[in-house]
Amino acid sequence: MTAIDGSEVIAESLERLGVKVVFGIVGIPVVEVADALISKGIKFIGFRNEQAASYAASVYGYLTQQPGVLLVVGGPGLVHALAGIYNSESNKWPLLVLAGSSSSSEVYRGGFQELDQVSLMTSTFSKFSARPPSISRVPELITKAFRLSISGKPGPTYIDLPADIIQSKIDSSDGLQYLESVIPYAIEDVPKSVASLPKLKQAVKLIKSAQYPLLVVGKGAANCPRAVRDFVAQHMVPFLPTPMGKGVVPDSSEFNVSSARSDALRHADVIILAGARLNWMLHHGDFPKFKKDVKFIQIDSDSDEIGDNSNDSLKYGLFGDIGLTIESLNIRLGKGHLVNSMLPVIEEAKLKNIKKLELKGSVTPEQSESLMNHNQAITIITNSLGLNYDDTIFVSEGANTMDISRVVIPIDYPKQRLDAGTNATMGVGLGYAIAAKVANPEKLVMAIEGDSAFGFSALEIETAIRSDLPLFIIVLNNSGVYRGVDDVEKYAPFTDKPLPSTALSYKTRYDELGNSLGAVGMLVTNANELKVKMKESLDLYLNDKKTIVLNVLIQSGAGTKLQFGWQNKPKSKL
């Protein structure tokens, strides 16, 4: 009989579940687990910070529809990783978390990095948390956690790995017996449901009675683009994507009303929410952003979301798989049902706002040697991609950088754009980019980062290079959070006046940081340089597989009003 240790049982369990990559950081006692994974041919990507690793694992689950797997040490390692676990839970992305923990004999005695991790995960964000009582139970519990992370409402699950479980040995036939009988069935498609017939009939009746219906497409619909596209095309219904719902239906569609967002929301009398929530991104469905008597039809695979912030969305809510439910709506509406043509006021607003956007992004000859604004830089970057555009995945973060790139960069494919998501989480950038490159190795992965956001995960450049995952990183550097300062000599140490809280070091050389970590760093100070260096760096990225760091100095934004475009004004004084 062959004896194997717990680390091999863990690795074998993940291999038979079809896991191809694990993200994390090793330390005692999980080093053996990572090495066992590598020996099985599973790629282990070791990060420099557990937050970045957890963000990568969370978005990998979104990109692949299979659980991202995260491996970290216990105690502070798991606590650091809570950022990405929370991110996974709030975005409803499947994630399996594995963390080392104190040996069973040391529990309640102040063991190494001791923390009641099962209770922590159970009480916070996890759908399922367990600590295997023996090596023989490890395959069963890992399989259950894997399955539960993708069933029903996707989200994080957790398996605690005590040091003694990892290091103890067991007869191979006993340790792997469960794998032989159960795992082949654990990874089949999870069951899907469709909304009930009475609810579907009620929704169809409401849609047919609408004068100006609007479809809002959320990232929850990213896995069923064909159904959503067919619905828009067959019924000629105007649609509005949420930031990460972009591309489910191409931005280039004539029915896209993104450039007249406020007018479209304000005039719609029936709004169909497809995988979107009435949260802060949609102003909670409140007047005056919406009509007072607007009706919501909410399609969601999470029953808890239906009815949130709107009684109408509860009354007309359609609980079920988003793709199957939209297909059923499509059939019941019939091919002959076309919505009314778009309101003239929306058409006018679209044309007006498109022209305003083009003007903001244009560069006059007089401006070509000066610092650019966000719009000008992002427009040049987008135009430089040419034939590579459709094969590019964009990651964007940083308040201004993310919001402006969302408007400037057209997206025609689902999951082509990744951003801060439901939590507006800063720090996701390079973790997301690394995961996107793992999931789509043939694509160009471009991370467009504000300089503040870039600072959260900049050292993960080394992770990408070490892991042979070339990234194209562009830092839009205005020397500040939201905004910098134009004249640093007005502040300390030149005067007694302290820098404002939003200021960062002036014109930091992030390109030199990139060079020091093995990337190709370039400094850009104006529009002419950006055009030239985009071409040079694209050649290096595509032909030589180099990681690129373009440090693009832009206008500071000093003197502009600090505001958050998504935030509702308070209705009354507190």
mmCIF file of all heavy atoms in Angstrom, residues 234-273:
data_model
loop_
_atom_site.group_PDB
_atom_site.id
_atom_site.type_symbol
_atom_site.label_atom_id
_atom_site.label_comp_id
_atom_site.label_asym_id
_atom_site.label_seq_id
_atom_site.Cartn_x
_atom_site.Cartn_y
_atom_site.Cartn_z
ATOM 1 N N GLN A 234 -34.905 41.461 -31.771
ATOM 2 C CA GLN A 234 -36.240 41.035 -32.183
ATOM 3 C C GLN A 234 -37.305 42.071 -31.848
ATOM 4 O O GLN A 234 -38.241 42.270 -32.618
ATOM 5 C CB GLN A 234 -36.581 39.706 -31.502
ATOM 6 C CG GLN A 234 -37.868 39.074 -32.000
ATOM 7 C CD GLN A 234 -37.985 37.621 -31.585
ATOM 8 O OE1 GLN A 234 -37.061 36.840 -31.777
ATOM 9 N NE2 GLN A 234 -39.111 37.254 -30.998
ATOM 10 N N HIS A 235 -37.121 42.771 -30.726
ATOM 11 C CA HIS A 235 -38.159 43.712 -30.290
ATOM 12 C C HIS A 235 -37.729 45.175 -30.408
ATOM 13 O O HIS A 235 -38.502 46.074 -30.079
ATOM 14 C CB HIS A 235 -38.572 43.390 -28.850
ATOM 15 C CG HIS A 235 -38.991 41.977 -28.670
ATOM 16 N ND1 HIS A 235 -40.113 41.454 -29.255
ATOM 17 C CD2 HIS A 235 -38.392 40.954 -28.012
ATOM 18 C CE1 HIS A 235 -40.214 40.164 -28.942
ATOM 19 N NE2 HIS A 235 -39.183 39.841 -28.195
ATOM 20 N N MET A 236 -36.492 45.384 -30.896
ATOM 21 C CA MET A 236 -35.978 46.747 -31.118
ATOM 22 C C MET A 236 -36.134 47.604 -29.863
ATOM 23 O O MET A 236 -36.568 48.750 -29.915
ATOM 24 C CB MET A 236 -36.688 47.384 -32.310
ATOM 25 C CG MET A 236 -36.534 46.598 -33.598
ATOM 26 S SD MET A 236 -37.501 47.244 -34.981
ATOM 27 C CE MET A 236 -36.665 48.787 -35.283
ATOM 28 N N VAL A 237 -35.741 47.028 -28.733
ATOM 29 C CA VAL A 237 -35.915 47.713 -27.454
ATOM 30 C C VAL A 237 -34.632 48.467 -27.095
ATOM 31 O O VAL A 237 -33.530 47.925 -27.202
ATOM 32 C CB VAL A 237 -36.291 46.706 -26.338
ATOM 33 C CG1 VAL A 237 -35.211 45.648 -26.148
ATOM 34 C CG2 VAL A 237 -36.549 47.416 -25.025
ATOM 35 N N PRO A 238 -34.735 49.733 -26.699
ATOM 36 C CA PRO A 238 -33.552 50.467 -26.244
ATOM 37 C C PRO A 238 -32.961 49.789 -25.010
ATOM 38 O O PRO A 238 -33.698 49.268 -24.165
ATOM 39 C CB PRO A 238 -34.096 51.859 -25.904
ATOM 40 C CG PRO A 238 -35.391 51.965 -26.631
ATOM 41 C CD PRO A 238 -35.953 50.577 -26.675
ATOM 42 N N PHE A 239 -31.641 49.815 -24.892
ATOM 43 C CA PHE A 239 -31.002 49.190 -23.736
ATOM 44 C C PHE A 239 -29.920 50.099 -23.179
ATOM 45 O O PHE A 239 -29.330 50.930 -23.879
ATOM 46 C CB PHE A 239 -30.406 47.829 -24.095
ATOM 47 C CG PHE A 239 -29.146 47.903 -24.924
ATOM 48 C CD1 PHE A 239 -27.895 47.904 -24.326
ATOM 49 C CD2 PHE A 239 -29.222 47.980 -26.310
ATOM 50 C CE1 PHE A 239 -26.738 47.978 -25.084
ATOM 51 C CE2 PHE A 239 -28.069 48.059 -27.076
ATOM 52 C CZ PHE A 239 -26.823 48.055 -26.473
ATOM 53 N N LEU A 240 -29.666 49.909 -21.896
ATOM 54 C CA LEU A 240 -28.641 50.657 -21.180
ATOM 55 C C LEU A 240 -27.802 49.663 -20.388
ATOM 56 O O LEU A 240 -28.328 48.970 -19.512
ATOM 57 C CB LEU A 240 -29.293 51.665 -20.221
ATOM 58 C CG LEU A 240 -28.355 52.439 -19.295
ATOM 59 C CD1 LEU A 240 -27.536 53.441 -20.084
ATOM 60 C CD2 LEU A 240 -29.155 53.153 -18.207
ATOM 61 N N PRO A 241 -26.505 49.532 -20.676
ATOM 62 C CA PRO A 241 -25.674 48.613 -19.895
ATOM 63 C C PRO A 241 -25.141 49.269 -18.636
ATOM 64 O O PRO A 241 -24.854 50.466 -18.621
ATOM 65 C CB PRO A 241 -24.524 48.281 -20.856
ATOM 66 C CG PRO A 241 -24.380 49.511 -21.699
ATOM 67 C CD PRO A 241 -25.762 50.124 -21.809
ATOM 68 N N THR A 242 -25.019 48.503 -17.572
ATOM 69 C CA THR A 242 -24.277 48.967 -16.406
ATOM 70 C C THR A 242 -22.787 48.903 -16.769
ATOM 71 O O THR A 242 -22.427 48.341 -17.803
ATOM 72 C CB THR A 242 -24.574 48.088 -15.185
ATOM 73 O OG1 THR A 242 -24.126 46.752 -15.453
ATOM 74 C CG2 THR A 242 -26.061 48.085 -14.858
ATOM 75 N N PRO A 243 -21.900 49.453 -15.935
ATOM 76 C CA PRO A 243 -20.484 49.499 -16.325
ATOM 77 C C PRO A 243 -19.885 48.159 -16.743
ATOM 78 O O PRO A 243 -19.153 48.089 -17.725
ATOM 79 C CB PRO A 243 -19.812 50.048 -15.054
ATOM 80 C CG PRO A 243 -20.839 50.965 -14.487
ATOM 81 C CD PRO A 243 -22.152 50.265 -14.727
ATOM 82 N N MET A 244 -20.178 47.073 -16.010
ATOM 83 C CA MET A 244 -19.635 45.783 -16.424
ATOM 84 C C MET A 244 -20.648 44.951 -17.200
ATOM 85 O O MET A 244 -20.381 43.800 -17.540
ATOM 86 C CB MET A 244 -19.103 45.009 -15.216
ATOM 87 C CG MET A 244 -17.705 45.473 -14.832
ATOM 88 S SD MET A 244 -16.968 44.595 -13.444
ATOM 89 C CE MET A 244 -16.807 42.947 -14.083
ATOM 90 N N GLY A 245 -21.805 45.565 -17.510
ATOM 91 C CA GLY A 245 -22.754 44.933 -18.418
ATOM 92 C C GLY A 245 -22.481 45.324 -19.862
ATOM 93 O O GLY A 245 -23.126 44.821 -20.784
ATOM 94 N N LYS A 246 -21.500 46.209 -20.052
ATOM 95 C CA LYS A 246 -21.140 46.633 -21.404
ATOM 96 C C LYS A 246 -20.633 45.444 -22.212
ATOM 97 O O LYS A 246 -19.851 44.642 -21.707
ATOM 98 C CB LYS A 246 -20.066 47.719 -21.347
ATOM 99 C CG LYS A 246 -20.586 49.089 -20.931
ATOM 100 C CD LYS A 246 -19.462 50.052 -20.620
ATOM 101 C CE LYS A 246 -18.653 50.430 -21.846
ATOM 102 N NZ LYS A 246 -19.384 51.315 -22.775
ATOM 103 N N GLY A 247 -21.089 45.345 -23.448
ATOM 104 C CA GLY A 247 -20.621 44.297 -24.337
ATOM 105 C C GLY A 247 -21.535 43.092 -24.402
ATOM 106 O O GLY A 247 -21.435 42.295 -25.334
ATOM 107 N N VAL A 248 -22.422 42.922 -23.420
ATOM 108 C CA VAL A 248 -23.402 41.837 -23.519
ATOM 109 C C VAL A 248 -24.207 42.037 -24.810
ATOM 110 O O VAL A 248 -24.430 41.110 -25.587
ATOM 111 C CB VAL A 248 -24.322 41.803 -22.283
ATOM 112 C CG1 VAL A 248 -25.415 40.759 -22.459
ATOM 113 C CG2 VAL A 248 -23.511 41.503 -21.033
ATOM 114 N N VAL A 249 -24.646 43.266 -25.026
ATOM 115 C CA VAL A 249 -25.110 43.720 -26.339
ATOM 116 C C VAL A 249 -24.080 44.744 -26.799
ATOM 117 O O VAL A 249 -23.668 45.606 -26.011
ATOM 118 C CB VAL A 249 -26.511 44.364 -26.263
ATOM 119 C CG1 VAL A 249 -27.005 44.721 -27.668
ATOM 120 C CG2 VAL A 249 -27.497 43.437 -25.578
ATOM 121 N N PRO A 250 -23.628 44.702 -28.048
ATOM 122 C CA PRO A 250 -22.553 45.605 -28.472
ATOM 123 C C PRO A 250 -22.895 47.074 -28.244
ATOM 124 O O PRO A 250 -24.013 47.514 -28.516
ATOM 125 C CB PRO A 250 -22.404 45.296 -29.966
ATOM 126 C CG PRO A 250 -22.908 43.895 -30.120
ATOM 127 C CD PRO A 250 -24.014 43.756 -29.120
ATOM 128 N N ASP A 251 -21.921 47.829 -27.749
ATOM 129 C CA ASP A 251 -22.103 49.267 -27.613
ATOM 130 C C ASP A 251 -22.435 49.920 -28.952
ATOM 131 O O ASP A 251 -23.069 50.975 -28.996
ATOM 132 C CB ASP A 251 -20.825 49.912 -27.047
ATOM 133 C CG ASP A 251 -20.729 49.790 -25.538
ATOM 134 O OD1 ASP A 251 -21.714 49.369 -24.909
ATOM 135 O OD2 ASP A 251 -19.664 50.109 -24.977
ATOM 136 N N SER A 252 -21.992 49.303 -30.038
ATOM 137 C CA SER A 252 -22.211 49.868 -31.371
ATOM 138 C C SER A 252 -23.658 49.720 -31.849
ATOM 139 O O SER A 252 -24.028 50.280 -32.885
ATOM 140 C CB SER A 252 -21.278 49.195 -32.384
ATOM 141 O OG SER A 252 -21.430 47.777 -32.341
ATOM 142 N N SER A 253 -24.488 48.991 -31.106
ATOM 143 C CA SER A 253 -25.883 48.805 -31.506
ATOM 144 C C SER A 253 -26.630 50.136 -31.563
ATOM 145 O O SER A 253 -26.445 51.005 -30.709
ATOM 146 C CB SER A 253 -26.591 47.868 -30.517
ATOM 147 O OG SER A 253 -27.994 47.894 -30.701
ATOM 148 N N GLU A 254 -27.494 50.288 -32.537
ATOM 149 C CA GLU A 254 -28.296 51.513 -32.668
ATOM 150 C C GLU A 254 -29.270 51.685 -31.509
ATOM 151 O O GLU A 254 -29.797 52.774 -31.287
ATOM 152 C CB GLU A 254 -29.067 51.486 -33.982
ATOM 153 C CG GLU A 254 -30.091 50.347 -34.067
ATOM 154 C CD GLU A 254 -30.810 50.299 -35.401
ATOM 155 O OE1 GLU A 254 -31.515 51.281 -35.735
ATOM 156 O OE2 GLU A 254 -30.650 49.281 -36.102
ATOM 157 N N PHE A 255 -29.521 50.612 -30.756
ATOM 158 C CA PHE A 255 -30.478 50.679 -29.646
ATOM 159 C C PHE A 255 -29.813 51.028 -28.311
ATOM 160 O O PHE A 255 -30.476 51.094 -27.282
ATOM 161 C CB PHE A 255 -31.232 49.355 -29.530
ATOM 162 C CG PHE A 255 -31.939 48.964 -30.799
ATOM 163 C CD1 PHE A 255 -31.515 47.872 -31.534
ATOM 164 C CD2 PHE A 255 -33.001 49.717 -31.278
ATOM 165 C CE1 PHE A 255 -32.152 47.519 -32.717
ATOM 166 C CE2 PHE A 255 -33.648 49.383 -32.455
ATOM 167 C CZ PHE A 255 -33.223 48.285 -33.185
ATOM 168 N N ASN A 256 -28.495 51.224 -28.329
ATOM 169 C CA ASN A 256 -27.758 51.579 -27.118
ATOM 170 C C ASN A 256 -28.021 53.048 -26.767
ATOM 171 O O ASN A 256 -27.796 53.943 -27.584
ATOM 172 C CB ASN A 256 -26.261 51.355 -27.347
ATOM 173 C CG ASN A 256 -25.430 51.651 -26.122
ATOM 174 O OD1 ASN A 256 -25.946 51.888 -25.029
ATOM 175 N ND2 ASN A 256 -24.110 51.646 -26.293
ATOM 176 N N VAL A 257 -28.487 53.300 -25.540
ATOM 177 C CA VAL A 257 -28.792 54.669 -25.124
ATOM 178 C C VAL A 257 -27.846 55.148 -24.015
ATOM 179 O O VAL A 257 -28.172 56.057 -23.260
ATOM 180 C CB VAL A 257 -30.263 54.804 -24.665
ATOM 181 C CG1 VAL A 257 -31.205 54.587 -25.828
ATOM 182 C CG2 VAL A 257 -30.579 53.837 -23.524
ATOM 183 N N SER A 258 -26.638 54.546 -23.944
ATOM 184 C CA SER A 258 -25.679 54.934 -22.911
ATOM 185 C C SER A 258 -25.359 56.423 -22.950
ATOM 186 O O SER A 258 -25.188 57.056 -21.912
ATOM 187 C CB SER A 258 -24.374 54.147 -23.066
ATOM 188 O OG SER A 258 -24.563 52.803 -22.760
ATOM 189 N N SER A 259 -25.256 56.972 -24.154
ATOM 190 C CA SER A 259 -24.876 58.383 -24.270
ATOM 191 C C SER A 259 -26.028 59.316 -23.938
ATOM 192 O O SER A 259 -25.858 60.540 -23.942
ATOM 193 C CB SER A 259 -24.346 58.674 -25.683
ATOM 194 O OG SER A 259 -25.256 58.225 -26.658
ATOM 195 N N ALA A 260 -27.194 58.765 -23.651
ATOM 196 C CA ALA A 260 -28.333 59.573 -23.189
ATOM 197 C C ALA A 260 -28.914 58.920 -21.938
ATOM 198 O O ALA A 260 -30.124 58.835 -21.758
ATOM 199 C CB ALA A 260 -29.383 59.689 -24.276
ATOM 200 N N ARG A 261 -28.020 58.467 -21.061
ATOM 201 C CA ARG A 261 -28.401 57.663 -19.902
ATOM 202 C C ARG A 261 -29.473 58.332 -19.041
ATOM 203 O O ARG A 261 -30.508 57.727 -18.743
ATOM 204 C CB ARG A 261 -27.155 57.388 -19.055
ATOM 205 C CG ARG A 261 -27.367 56.489 -17.848
ATOM 206 C CD ARG A 261 -26.060 56.324 -17.083
ATOM 207 N NE ARG A 261 -26.156 55.282 -16.076
ATOM 208 C CZ ARG A 261 -26.579 55.447 -14.838
ATOM 209 N NH1 ARG A 261 -26.989 56.649 -14.445
ATOM 210 N NH2 ARG A 261 -26.615 54.434 -13.994
ATOM 211 N N SER A 262 -29.250 59.562 -18.648
ATOM 212 C CA SER A 262 -30.183 60.243 -17.748
ATOM 213 C C SER A 262 -31.556 60.390 -18.379
ATOM 214 O O SER A 262 -32.588 60.153 -17.726
ATOM 215 C CB SER A 262 -29.630 61.619 -17.359
ATOM 216 O OG SER A 262 -28.439 61.481 -16.615
ATOM 217 N N ASP A 263 -31.595 60.778 -19.666
ATOM 218 C CA ASP A 263 -32.882 60.941 -20.348
ATOM 219 C C ASP A 263 -33.607 59.609 -20.487
ATOM 220 O O ASP A 263 -34.833 59.534 -20.329
ATOM 221 C CB ASP A 263 -32.659 61.568 -21.729
ATOM 222 C CG ASP A 263 -32.225 63.017 -21.632
ATOM 223 O OD1 ASP A 263 -33.088 63.885 -21.408
ATOM 224 O OD2 ASP A 263 -31.014 63.283 -21.760
ATOM 225 N N ALA A 264 -32.849 58.551 -20.797
ATOM 226 C CA ALA A 264 -33.468 57.236 -20.968
ATOM 227 C C ALA A 264 -34.090 56.744 -19.666
ATOM 228 O O ALA A 264 -35.221 56.234 -19.651
ATOM 229 C CB ALA A 264 -32.430 56.234 -21.467
ATOM 230 N N LEU A 265 -33.385 56.905 -18.552
ATOM 231 C CA LEU A 265 -33.917 56.471 -17.263
ATOM 232 C C LEU A 265 -35.126 57.306 -16.848
ATOM 233 O O LEU A 265 -36.106 56.789 -16.311
ATOM 234 C CB LEU A 265 -32.834 56.578 -16.182
ATOM 235 C CG LEU A 265 -31.656 55.601 -16.284
ATOM 236 C CD1 LEU A 265 -30.617 55.908 -15.213
ATOM 237 C CD2 LEU A 265 -32.115 54.156 -16.176
ATOM 238 N N ARG A 266 -35.051 58.586 -17.124
ATOM 239 C CA ARG A 266 -36.100 59.494 -16.666
ATOM 240 C C ARG A 266 -37.406 59.321 -17.440
ATOM 241 O O ARG A 266 -38.495 59.580 -16.911
ATOM 242 C CB ARG A 266 -35.608 60.941 -16.787
ATOM 243 C CG ARG A 266 -36.520 61.966 -16.139
ATOM 244 C CD ARG A 266 -35.839 63.315 -15.983
ATOM 245 N NE ARG A 266 -35.303 63.823 -17.233
ATOM 246 C CZ ARG A 266 -34.009 63.959 -17.494
ATOM 247 N NH1 ARG A 266 -33.115 63.607 -16.581
ATOM 248 N NH2 ARG A 266 -33.594 64.438 -18.637
ATOM 249 N N HIS A 267 -37.341 58.877 -18.700
ATOM 250 C CA HIS A 267 -38.541 58.784 -19.528
ATOM 251 C C HIS A 267 -39.138 57.375 -19.596
ATOM 252 O O HIS A 267 -40.297 57.220 -20.002
ATOM 253 C CB HIS A 267 -38.240 59.262 -20.952
ATOM 254 C CG HIS A 267 -38.103 60.754 -21.067
ATOM 255 N ND1 HIS A 267 -36.893 61.401 -20.925
ATOM 256 C CD2 HIS A 267 -39.035 61.720 -21.275
ATOM 257 C CE1 HIS A 267 -37.072 62.703 -21.065
ATOM 258 N NE2 HIS A 267 -38.355 62.929 -21.280
ATOM 259 N N ALA A 268 -38.380 56.351 -19.219
ATOM 260 C CA ALA A 268 -38.885 54.977 -19.342
ATOM 261 C C ALA A 268 -40.052 54.741 -18.391
ATOM 262 O O ALA A 268 -40.017 55.151 -17.233
ATOM 263 C CB ALA A 268 -37.762 53.988 -19.047
ATOM 264 N N ASP A 269 -41.097 54.084 -18.897
ATOM 265 C CA ASP A 269 -42.238 53.766 -18.023
ATOM 266 C C ASP A 269 -42.209 52.319 -17.541
ATOM 267 O O ASP A 269 -42.811 51.984 -16.529
ATOM 268 C CB ASP A 269 -43.566 54.093 -18.702
ATOM 269 C CG ASP A 269 -43.757 53.375 -20.023
ATOM 270 O OD1 ASP A 269 -42.776 52.777 -20.537
ATOM 271 O OD2 ASP A 269 -44.874 53.404 -20.566
ATOM 272 N N VAL A 270 -41.494 51.447 -18.264
ATOM 273 C CA VAL A 270 -41.271 50.071 -17.825
ATOM 274 C C VAL A 270 -39.792 49.763 -18.039
ATOM 275 O O VAL A 270 -39.271 49.939 -19.136
ATOM 276 C CB VAL A 270 -42.137 49.061 -18.603
ATOM 277 C CG1 VAL A 270 -41.723 47.627 -18.253
ATOM 278 C CG2 VAL A 270 -43.611 49.269 -18.299
ATOM 279 N N ILE A 271 -39.141 49.317 -16.972
ATOM 280 C CA ILE A 271 -37.712 48.998 -17.054
ATOM 281 C C ILE A 271 -37.514 47.527 -16.734
ATOM 282 O O ILE A 271 -37.961 47.034 -15.693
ATOM 283 C CB ILE A 271 -36.885 49.871 -16.100
ATOM 284 C CG1 ILE A 271 -36.946 51.335 -16.565
ATOM 285 C CG2 ILE A 271 -35.436 49.393 -16.033
ATOM 286 C CD1 ILE A 271 -36.172 52.303 -15.686
ATOM 287 N N ILE A 272 -36.858 46.826 -17.657
ATOM 288 C CA ILE A 272 -36.537 45.409 -17.478
ATOM 289 C C ILE A 272 -35.089 45.324 -17.000
ATOM 290 O O ILE A 272 -34.170 45.751 -17.707
ATOM 291 C CB ILE A 272 -36.705 44.631 -18.794
ATOM 292 C CG1 ILE A 272 -38.099 44.845 -19.374
ATOM 293 C CG2 ILE A 272 -36.435 43.145 -18.579
ATOM 294 C CD1 ILE A 272 -38.200 44.469 -20.845
ATOM 295 N N LEU A 273 -34.888 44.815 -15.803
ATOM 296 C CA LEU A 273 -33.552 44.673 -15.234
ATOM 297 C C LEU A 273 -33.066 43.247 -15.482
ATOM 298 O O LEU A 273 -33.586 42.298 -14.899
ATOM 299 C CB LEU A 273 -33.574 44.950 -13.733
ATOM 300 C CG LEU A 273 -34.035 46.348 -13.285
ATOM 301 C CD1 LEU A 273 -34.357 46.347 -11.797
ATOM 302 C CD2 LEU A 273 -32.977 47.385 -13.596
#
